[in-house]
Amino acid sequence: MGVGPGDHEGLEIRRRVVGRCAGGREVDQASLRSARAGELRASDAGTDVKLAGWVATRRDHGGVVFIDLRDASGRIQAVINPEENPAVGTVADVLRDEYCIALSGLVRKRPEGTINPDLPTGEVEVAVTELRVLSPSEPLPFQIDDRADVDEGRRLEFRYLDLRRPRMAANLVARSRAIAAMRTAMVDQGFLEVETPTLVKSTPEGARDVLVPSRLRQGSFYALPQSPQLFKQLLMVGGVERYYQIARCYRDEDFRADRQIEFTQLDIEGAFWGREDVFAALEPAVAAVARALRGIEIPAPFPRLTWAESMARFGTDKPDLRFGMELVELSDVFAGSGFRAFADVLAAGGLVAGIDAGRRDLSRSALDALVERARDLGARGLVWIVVEDDGTLRSPIAKFLGDEEQAALVSAMQASPGDLLLIVGDRPKVTRLVLGALRLDLGRPEGHDELRFLWVTDFPVFAVGDDGSLSPEHHPFTAPYDITEMRDHPAEALSRAYDLVLNGVELGSGSERIHDPRVQKEVFDVLGISDREAESRFGWFMRALRYGTPPHAGFAVGVDRLVMILQNEPNIREVMPFPKTQSGYDPMTNSPSAVDELQLVELGIDLRPDVREALATDSPDG
RNA sequence: GGGGGUGUGGUGAAGCCUGGAGUUCACGCCGGCCUGUCAAGCCGGAGGUCGCGGGUUCAAAUCCCGUCAUCCCCGCCA
């Protein structure tokens, strides 16, 4: 079978035959429709139209049948009168939900008193003169409806039906508009869209790589890119100057509401750039998406916070600015406290801080639950204090606090009568983490009606592990502010890295990059990566830096997360056409799945005996 | 890796705490009636190994243990 004009003709003939079988007469695919269902208005009354779509609902009154026809544009009521047109009535009898149908008819204004104000097309209806089933539907596994809260596994198994639901259809449209807005914004600024490979070298630095075995080089593996990071930097070396890409990225880590194994980023990079150039390029793109999806103007420039300030005031590097309840440092208040736990913490270099949760009127068990939550988050404990209406403090530790100390506390927290104060004393990292989480538990608004973007700047170069080990806070190609400082005080050194945060969600991150191979080597040194290891993993990249690399900077924005928030969805899967479950499973295709022995042989792969055995006995229930 | 929630006809829920006949509600499905509905209405009907396995008990959807799936959180995610 060759490819040529003959094959196209064959395809056409098959299509026509299928059409003839389905409708009992030849179906001319090109002229199935002369109008779109959701666009008909009173001004169209009197015109003959051809429509095609799906049966959304069928209301059979015996003497008159109503069919709500849905296509991608919306829905319209079609009216069938079996007495006037028995042939059409016969077809209408067999129609069921989600049959794919085509019809012809006359658009007319609805009779007095039957207008449906809830429908954009509610002033008109189509009097059907011809009706044809293009494709029947079996009874559905769930109803095509936004009202029912269908089990998500079921939705994913029949995702193609799920996508017919108005909410999902709207999310697909929103996603498409978001990406279109981004492309337009980038093109308008003179960016070049460049594709980078999806089969790349494995450089397991942060997340686990998704690996792809090579057939031609058995025993070797590609990785799917965690991001186009190094390739886009090479594009800067390559003189592209302004790069962008809607890039698919892969990270093999555990799933969360806002994390999938594969996801999409708006990836950008610019030569001769610093931070301000990045922000200036990105703000219009993000604002364009908000305009496209919400019809609102986001004030630019976005506000900024340094990482240190964000941690101190909100206990996190991705603060939700939509509400207050900021952390208050109480070290001065409790420096010589009668409450030994706090005094000891402070003496050991710890941090005591609190939040004012406002009037809560919580029961004792609810307060205990907060203490339990704090412990789950890693705190040794949590002190709650209720400011009574008479100004006295009710708390398990009230008796350890002197009058002066109590007054200083109320003053420092700016507490009002009735307020619930939550206080943690621990290592600074733990205190902030716990209070930051409690702040969200107690104050975070439902949904995302309000949008508060911000840049968080000046991240540390390295994150210090509990064992004192260093790892890159951003990634190892991020430029530090000061190389000497980085070498001498790596735990404190700041980098030219920044995050974009929206309503407490990290939308993306970027940085000014290292363009000097000597600096890059210094970073690897501090990280304890030997010359030999650096050469084998990143030698190809460091070599490129030696050929006149321009200073450059860039950023990547998580498209799924941005659309999720703008669409007010609780998780990323609602804005992905075909997502996977938390265990990386696709219930529709039953993927991942075992492969033929022959495929493995060709790849030079043999499964471990225990894995083989587990596969053989694997027969999951439910 | 750890903690928590959920699993009941095709769908969504109630029943579980406090064991006593697969019981109930809504939607869907099948059949019938019906000329203005729009989540149509009315009448009738079918449909379930209560995720799976084990235990306790005279008796388990219900209590206990294990396991699987799924969702949320912690860890993890440069």
Side-chain angles (χ1 to χ4, degrees):
Chain A
M1 283 217 301
V3 176
D7 291 296
H8 290 291
E9 277 171 29
L11 195 62
E12 269 312 304
I13 289 165
R14 271 203 303 282
R15 277 193 187 132
R16 283 160 195 265
V17 169
V18 168
R20 193 179 294 129
C21 293
R25 48 179 282 187
E26 187 171 305
V27 176
D28 184 345
Q29 303 285 359
S31 63
L32 273 176
R33 290 204 287 190
S34 68
R36 309 227 306 161
E39 292 168 359
L40 295 174
R41 295 292 183 273
S43 56
D44 297 305
T47 60
D48 284 305
V49 293
K50 290 181 173 181
L51 298 171
W54 290 265
V55 176
T57 65
R58 167 174 170 272
R59 297 178 293 279
D60 186 347
H61 292 239
V64 61
V65 183
F66 300 101
I67 304 290
D68 282 357
L69 179 81
R70 185 195 69 243
D71 67 16
S73 67
R75 56 163 68 188
I76 180 80
Q77 172 167 284
V79 187
I80 292 152
N81 191 319
E83 283 178 21
E84 289 174 14
N85 195 333
V88 169
T90 305
V91 178
D93 273 347
V94 308
L95 294 188
R96 297 293 182 270
D97 281 354
E98 297 304 314
Y99 271 41
C100 185
I101 61 171
L103 59 81
S104 304
L106 177 68
V107 181
R108 68 185 185 204
K109 289 189 178 174
R110 292 193 185 194
E112 199 71 30
T114 63
I115 286 172
N116 184 350
D118 298 330
L119 226 52
T121 61
E123 285 186 59
V124 293
E125 60 190 14
V126 175
V128 179
T129 54
E130 280 184 77
L131 179 63
R132 188 164 67 236
V133 175
L134 298 174
S135 185
S137 171
E138 290 184 11
L140 302 163
F142 52 82
Q143 283 162 266
I144 309 299
D145 195 318
D146 282 341
R147 284 187 298 272
D149 190 16
V150 181
D151 174 72
E152 196 174 336
R154 199 77 171 147
R155 290 173 55 200
L156 292 183
E157 187 182 350
F158 294 91
R159 190 59 152 183
Y160 39 86
L161 296 179
D162 193 39
L163 294 177
R164 291 185 190 174
R165 295 164 61 226
R167 169 176 164 188
M168 289 305 295
N171 285 345
L172 287 188
V173 170
R175 189 186 177 99
S176 173
R177 283 186 183 154
I179 291 172
M182 287 175 179
R183 281 216 159 88
T184 302
M186 299 322 291
V187 170
D188 285 352
Q189 296 182 74
F191 282 76
L192 197 67
E193 180 164 3
V194 184
E195 292 166 281
T196 51
T198 53
L199 294 173
V200 303
K201 182 179 179 65
S202 175
T203 54
E205 188 56 37
R208 272 184 281 269
D209 281 327
V210 179
L211 293 178
V212 180
S214 164
R215 176 180 61 87
L216 296 175
R217 292 173 180 265
Q218 293 191 349
S220 291
F221 294 81
Y222 304 99
L224 302 181
Q226 295 185 22
S227 79
Q229 182 62 36
L230 295 179
F231 284 96
K232 70 175 174 178
Q233 291 192 239
L234 295 182
L235 289 174
M236 297 302 104
V237 180
V240 167
E241 292 197 11
R242 293 189 156 208
Y243 146 90
Y244 87 99
Q245 183 180 195
I246 308 294
R248 191 63 63 83
C249 305
Y250 305 84
R251 293 175 196 175
D252 191 2
E253 294 295 338
D254 289 354
F255 287 60
R256 283 292 171 80
D258 60 357
R259 284 183 355 211
Q260 284 266 311
I261 189 169
E262 59 178 310
F263 59 99
T264 304
Q265 289 190 334
L266 168 62
D267 194 43
I268 74 167
E269 195 80 11
F272 313 112
W273 266 15
R275 177 175 79 191
E276 298 308 316
D277 301 291
V278 174
F279 290 2
L282 222 37
E283 284 176 353
V286 171
V289 174
R291 194 179 303 124
L293 268 53
R294 289 277 187 101
I296 57 168
E297 290 302 320
I298 304 294
F302 301 164
R304 301 177 189 188
L305 275 182
T306 64
W307 178 86
E309 187 178 0
S310 180
M311 295 303 291
R313 288 173 54 191
F314 302 98
T316 174
D317 59 4
K318 46 179 179 178
D320 190 335
L321 298 185
R322 291 176 296 170
F323 64 104
M325 215 188 289
E326 293 187 17
L327 277 59
V328 178
E329 182 167 349
L330 299 170
S331 300
D332 291 346
V333 174
F334 291 110
S337 179
F339 183 51
R340 268 303 270 289
F342 284 174
D344 290 351
V345 160
L346 289 170
L351 171 67
V352 178
I355 57 174
D356 182 343
R359 181 178 283 275
R360 293 282 163 171
D361 298 322
L362 294 184
S363 67
R364 182 59 195 249
S365 64
L367 291 166
D368 288 344
L370 285 177
V371 175
E372 186 56 33
R373 167 76 169 148
R375 291 212 172 100
D376 287 346
L377 290 163
R380 278 186 296 241
L382 172 74
V383 168
W384 55 263
I385 297 174
V386 175
V387 183
E388 300 285 22
D389 289 337
D390 63 5
T392 62
L393 301 186
R394 174 165 61 90
S395 169
I397 71 154
K399 58 178 175 286
F400 301 114
L401 306 180
D403 290 348
E404 216 168 286
E405 196 172 356
Q406 295 198 7
L409 171 65
V410 170
S411 165
M413 299 287 297
Q414 297 184 299
S416 306
D419 285 359
L420 170 65
L421 311 180
L422 300 174
I423 302 171
V424 174
D426 216 305
R427 289 181 297 149
K429 197 173 160 184
V430 173
T431 298
R432 293 195 176 110
L433 172 84
V434 170
L435 287 173
L438 290 172
R439 173 178 176 268
L440 288 176
D441 288 350
L442 293 166
R444 185 167 213 173
E446 282 288 312
H448 295 282
D449 291 336
E450 185 190 358
L451 302 176
R452 292 290 292 272
F453 288 91
L454 91 149
W455 299 108
V456 178
T457 64
D458 301 339
F459 276 67
V461 180
F462 303 109
V464 184
D466 289 336
D467 57 355
S469 65
L470 297 176
S471 59
E473 176 75 30
H474 183 51
H475 58 55
F477 316 105
T478 301
Y481 273 110
D482 186 312
I483 295 149
T484 312
E485 186 197 22
M486 179 193 76
R487 196 167 38 214
D488 297 345
H489 307 284
E492 286 81 39
L494 298 182
S495 75
R496 300 173 187 271
Y498 24 82
D499 275 7
L500 176 61
V501 175
L502 169 57
N503 292 359
V505 175
E506 181 193 322
L507 278 188
S509 53
S511 62
E512 293 164 44
R513 322 298 186 189
I514 296 167
H515 65 279
D516 181 340
R518 288 169 303 181
V519 176
Q520 188 66 67
K521 181 179 166 350
E522 294 264 7
V523 172
F524 287 145
D525 282 349
V526 177
L527 286 171
I529 298 175
S530 69
D531 286 358
R532 204 174 141 199
E533 190 183 353
E535 176 58 31
S536 104
R537 284 165 65 181
F538 303 110
W540 56 281
F541 175 73
M542 290 173 73
R543 185 173 314 121
L545 297 184
R546 300 204 293 258
Y547 294 94
T549 300
H552 57 287
F555 205 90
V557 179
V559 172
D560 314 278
R561 286 183 182 176
L562 177 57
V563 175
M564 166 184 84
I565 292 172
L566 291 174
Q567 289 297 101
N568 241 321
E569 291 290 0
N571 67 65
I572 209 174
R573 299 181 301 279
E574 299 296 330
V575 299
M576 300 179 104
F578 298 102
K580 292 171 178 47
T581 68
Q582 203 162 61
S583 60
Y585 185 68
D586 176 3
M588 182 175 67
T589 64
N590 296 314
S591 153
S593 54
V595 296
D596 287 345
E597 190 62 30
L598 181 63
Q599 288 179 282
L600 291 179
V601 168
E602 281 189 323
L603 294 168
I605 289 176
D606 198 5
L607 298 179
R608 276 201 336 245
D610 58 315
V611 173
R612 204 175 273 282
E613 193 174 331
L615 270 181
T617 58
D618 186 34
S619 53
D621 281 302

